[in-house]
Amino acid sequence: MENTSTAESADIVVIGAGLSGIGAAKYLTDDFPGKKILLLEGRHAVGGTWDLFTYPGIRSDDSVHTYGYKFKPWLHKEAIADGAYIRDYMVETVTEFGLDKILRLGHRVTAADWSSETAQWTLHVTVSDEEGNETRKTIRTGFVFSGTGYYNHDEGYEPHFEGREDFRGDILHPQHWPEDYDHSGKRVVIIGSGATAVTMLPAMLTGEGAAEHVTMLQRTPSYVASMPRVDTIAQLLMKVLGVRLGYAATRFKNIWRDHFIVTVLVRFPSLGRRLLRSMTAKELPPGFDVDTHFAPPYSPWDQRLCATPDGDFFQAIREHDADVVTDQIERFTPDGILLKSGRMLEADVIVTATGLVMQMLGGIKPTVDGSPVDVADTVLYHGALMSGVPNWAMMLGFTKATWTLRIRNVTRLVADVIREMDRKGYDTVVPEAPEGMPTQSLFDLSAGYMQRAQAQLPRQGAGKPWRMHTTYVRDNRLFRGRLIHPDLRFSKRAVEAPHLVSVEAAS
Ligand SMILES: Cc1cc2nc3c(=O)[nH]c(=O)nc-3n(C[C@H](O)[C@H](O)[C@H](O)COP(=O)(O)OP(=O)(O)OC[C@H]3O[C@@H](n4cnc5c(N)ncnc54)[C@H](O)[C@@H]3O)c2cc1C
C-alpha cells in the first residue's frame, strides 16, 4: 500500500476506509473504471468501527447477512458476528476487489476547500507513518465522498461523575480498551444499558479470564431481545442454492423479516412492549424484577433494540455472577460507586459504556469559496448531498436497518450525478433546497448520543428528493427511477482548471 508524501489529484476521493468507504470505493471503481479514485484513511488500518473497538465480546448487533456487502457473501456460520471477523471481511474486500491500489492509509483529511473558479476541492491531508512522523499534502479532486461514520473516533462520551478521581481501581471506556487487559477475578461495574453493555456483560464472565462478578448499572432500562447466533435457514439456503444465490435469498429474507418486526413494534407500541416483556421474563429466573430492569419508559425502537445472541446476556444473569441495577450515581468512591438510593456497588473496574461523541464529516470543516460550511445548516438531498455544498456526498446509514444497506443507493446517486456532469460537460453540482421548504430532523431515535448531536446534524425535507427514511425498505423506494431532479443545480466553471489526474510536487 503506497504511502507517499507527494501531493496528488484524483477525480473522486473517498474519505474513510470503514464499511461505508470500502463499499463506496468498490461501487464507484466499478461504475467509473476510467476515473482516478482514491480511498483515504486516517488510521493505519482499514475497518473503521471494527478495527477501533476491541472491548470484550465486540460483535455486530445485526445479522451480518445484511450488514455485509451485497457483492461479497458472508461465509461464517455466525450471523451475529465477532468484530474481528467483520474486520477481516473488510480487509478481504479491500484485497479481493483491488482497492488496496487506491487506498492511502495514514491519510487524515483535516480541511477541505472548494473553489468555484476551478470547480475543485482541495483536501488538506496529514500523512503519518506508524512511528508517528507526519507530513502534509494537498489532494485536489472533483468530487468527495465522505464515508467518515457518525462519531468521533478519538474520544468516547464520558459524562462527569463526582469523585471519579477518588476511585482506586481502573476506569475504562469501551472505545479505548487497553490491549490484553486482564479482568480475571475482578468485580466489574459497567455503567450503561446500550448494546455495548449488553455485549460486554456475558463476555466478561465467560471463558478464560472471567471476572468474579459483573454488574450492569443503568439509569434507564433498554429493550433487550434474544436472537439466534447462527441463522439455520441461511445455512440451509446456502447449502441448497449455493453460496451466491443462498446469500442473496438470506438477505432478502432478513431485510423483510427485520422490516416486519420494526414496523409491528413501531405501529403497535403497546403490543410490542407486552411481547418484549414476556420474551424477557421467560429468559430470567422466577421472581426477577423485569419491570424495573427491562421495561423502558419509551416505546420499542424509539431507541435501538439491543440484541443478545442466543440470549447470552440473560444466561449470564441466570447462571453466572451477573446482575442489573437500575439506579442513579451519587458519586464514585475509592471502592466503587455510591448510588442515589444509598446502595454501594463495590468494584475493582468501572467500565463507562456511556456512548459516543457524534461527529459529522470526520471533523472536517469544509469551506466553499472561503465561507465555512456548517453541516447543521444544510438539508440533505436524498440523505446524502448537502444543500449549498458542491460535489460532495456523505454516507449516513439507517438506524432501523443495517447501516450497509444504504451504501449502494447513495453511490448510485453519486454515479448518476457524475454521469450527468460528464454527459453534459458540467463540472459542478449544488443541491438547492426550495425556498421555505419545511425541514425536520434526520433521525427519530431518542438515544442520548442522538439527542446530544441534534445541533450538529444536517436536516431533511418532507418529501422526495429531500427525504431519508430510517428503514431500508422505505428509503429504497425513494431511490427508484431517475435521481436527477431540478433541485440539483449543474453548472460549468468559467475558467479551465488544471487537469486533475496528475502527480505534483510536494507542497
Ligand atoms: C460497537 C458498535 C457496534 C455497531 N454495530 C452495528 C450493527 O450491528 N449494525 C449496524 O447497522 N450498525 C452498527 N454500528 C454502527 C456502525 O458504526 C456502522 O454500522 C458502520 O460501521 C459505520 O461505518 P462507516 O464506514 O460509515 O464509519 P466508521 O466505521 O466509523 O469508519 C469511518 C472511517 O473513516 C475514517 N475517518 C474519519 N474521519 C476521517 C478523516 N478526516 N480523514 C481520513 N479518514 C477519516 C475513520 O478512521 C474510520 O476508519 C455499530 C457501531 C458501534 C460503535
Side-chain angles (χ1 to χ4, degrees):
M1 291 170 196
E2 191 186 339
N3 189 358
T4 75
S5 61
T6 48
E8 286 187 275
S9 302
D11 296 302
I12 304 170
V13 168
V14 177
I15 309 175
L19 263 177
S20 301
I22 292 172
K26 154 76 171 89
Y27 286 122
L28 292 172
T29 47
D30 284 355
D31 289 338
F32 299 109
K35 288 197 190 289
K36 180 173 178 185
I37 300 176
L38 289 179
L39 173 57
L40 307 184
E41 170 52 53
R43 308 177 75 234
H44 293 101
V46 301
T49 295
W50 302 103
D51 185 67
L52 179 74
F53 281 85
T54 55
Y55 59 75
I58 170 79
R59 58 160 170 83
S60 70
D61 229 15
D62 282 305
S63 155
V64 190
H65 296 108
T66 54
Y67 193 49
Y69 301 117
K70 186 176 181 182
F71 56 81
K72 181 170 166 61
W74 176 259
L75 298 176
H76 288 285
K77 199 162 76 169
E78 289 79 12
I80 303 284
D82 287 356
Y85 286 169
I86 302 175
R87 188 199 51 220
D88 292 350
Y89 171 88
M90 290 159 75
V91 172
E92 267 178 35
T93 306
V94 167
T95 41
E96 195 174 323
F97 297 97
L99 302 176
D100 42 356
K101 296 185 194 75
I102 63 165
L103 174 67
R104 305 284 182 271
L105 291 176
H107 276 53
R108 175 154 305 278
V109 180
T110 54
D113 302 318
W114 170 262
S115 156
S116 294
E117 205 176 298
T118 58
Q120 284 174 4
W121 283 102
T122 300
L123 304 179
H124 301 269
V125 182
T126 300
V127 183
S128 62
D129 61 22
E130 303 214 23
E131 279 73 52
N133 304 311
E134 288 186 350
T135 53
R136 309 231 183 281
K137 79 176 185 187
T138 54
I139 298 181
R140 286 185 295 111
T141 183
F143 206 99
V144 173
F145 183 106
S146 54
T148 47
Y150 59 93
Y151 64 88
N152 186 334
H153 278 222
D154 298 330
E155 48 168 319
Y157 179 63
E158 293 268 17
H160 170 74
F161 293 115
E162 210 51 52
R164 184 186 171 107
E165 57 295 338
D166 297 342
F167 181 60
R168 276 195 296 245
D170 295 327
I171 302 178
L172 306 174
H173 192 284
Q175 199 166 322
H176 311 284
W177 201 260
E179 213 182 322
D180 300 326
Y181 184 77
D182 181 12
H183 56 263
S184 57
K186 293 189 176 159
R187 295 162 305 166
V188 181
V189 174
I190 305 173
I191 302 172
S193 60
T196 302
V198 169
T199 301
M200 286 178 90
L201 179 137
M204 292 185 94
L205 278 166
T206 43
E208 263 178 52
E212 181 191 305
H213 186 90
V214 182
T215 300
M216 185 172 99
L217 169 61
Q218 56 181 14
R219 189 170 50 186
T220 314
S222 299
Y223 292 105
V224 183
S226 181
M227 246 182 105
R229 193 183 294 271
V230 175
D231 180 343
T232 44
I233 301 176
Q235 297 300 304
L236 185 70
L237 286 171
M238 291 213 243
K239 204 165 159 192
V240 174
L241 301 176
V243 167
R244 293 235 155 240
L245 209 54
Y247 180 63
T250 304
R251 283 174 71 83
F252 181 82
K253 160 183 91 65
N254 289 3
I255 285 169
W256 283 98
R257 178 202 62 191
D258 295 350
H259 184 67
F260 174 76
I261 295 172
V262 169
T263 307
V264 169
L265 292 181
V266 171
R267 288 249 175 96
F268 308 104
S270 327
L271 172 72
R273 264 188 201 160
R274 282 203 304 278
L275 268 175
L276 288 164
R277 190 202 176 279
S278 100
M279 282 160 60
T280 304
K282 276 193 199 126
E283 298 266 7
L284 290 164
F288 191 95
D289 187 354
V290 180
D291 293 316
T292 299
H293 303 304
F294 292 102
Y298 54 83
S299 297
W301 278 108
D302 278 357
Q303 296 192 17
R304 272 182 77 94
L305 220 76
C306 300
T308 161
D310 292 339
D312 63 352
F313 174 80
F314 298 123
Q315 189 185 7
I317 295 173
R318 280 194 317 265
E319 298 173 12
H320 298 283
D321 279 308
D323 61 358
V324 179
V325 172
T326 306
D327 206 324
Q328 289 193 41
I329 296 172
E330 178 68 33
R331 58 175 293 120
F332 285 15
T333 71
D335 301 317
I337 300 177
L338 177 66
L339 301 173
K340 287 233 155 83
S341 65
R343 184 172 168 190
M344 176 71 204
L345 295 179
E346 302 221 327
D348 305 307
V349 185
I350 296 175
V351 180
T352 52
T354 41
L356 307 163
V357 175
M358 286 281 258
Q359 186 184 59
M360 290 291 103
L361 308 184
I364 304 162
K365 306 235 179 297
T367 66
V368 173
D369 295 327
S371 302
V373 173
D374 185 344
V375 177
D377 291 340
T378 67
V379 189
L380 292 187
Y381 181 96
H382 269 299
L385 310 177
M386 288 174 280
S387 58
V389 181
N391 299 24
W392 186 304
M394 67 155 89
M395 168 61 203
L396 288 173
F398 298 114
T399 49
K400 295 194 182 99
T402 67
W403 181 276
T404 325
L405 285 171
R406 201 155 193 274
I407 300 174
R408 184 45 181 151
N409 279 338
V410 174
T411 51
R412 193 168 81 73
L413 167 68
V414 170
D416 281 9
V417 162
I418 292 177
R419 281 196 195 105
E420 179 82 358
M421 294 204 281
D422 287 352
R423 226 178 354 247
K424 304 214 171 132
Y426 298 126
D427 43 38
T428 304
V429 59
V430 186
E432 262 184 40
E435 190 78 25
M437 180 178 77
T439 63
Q440 53 186 310
S441 41
L442 207 54
F443 297 115
D444 53 2
L445 289 186
S446 63
Y449 66 92
M450 285 284 180
Q451 294 307 312
R452 289 193 296 275
Q454 281 303 343
Q456 292 183 46
L457 288 172
R459 294 179 69 78
Q460 64 171 328
K464 190 177 173 179
W466 294 95
R467 182 85 168 96
M468 165 181 177
H469 284 294
T470 49
T471 63
Y472 171 69
V473 171
R474 295 188 72 200
D475 197 57
N476 193 36
R477 286 187 198 128
L478 300 178
F479 281 90
R480 282 195 196 133
R482 194 170 150 75
L483 302 176
I484 308 297
H485 181 276
D487 290 348
L488 288 181
R489 303 294 155 82
F490 290 92
S491 60
K492 184 166 168 44
R493 66 178 172 260
V495 289
E496 234 2 78
H499 195 256
L500 277 175
V501 185
S502 62
V503 176
E504 307 154 337
S507 56

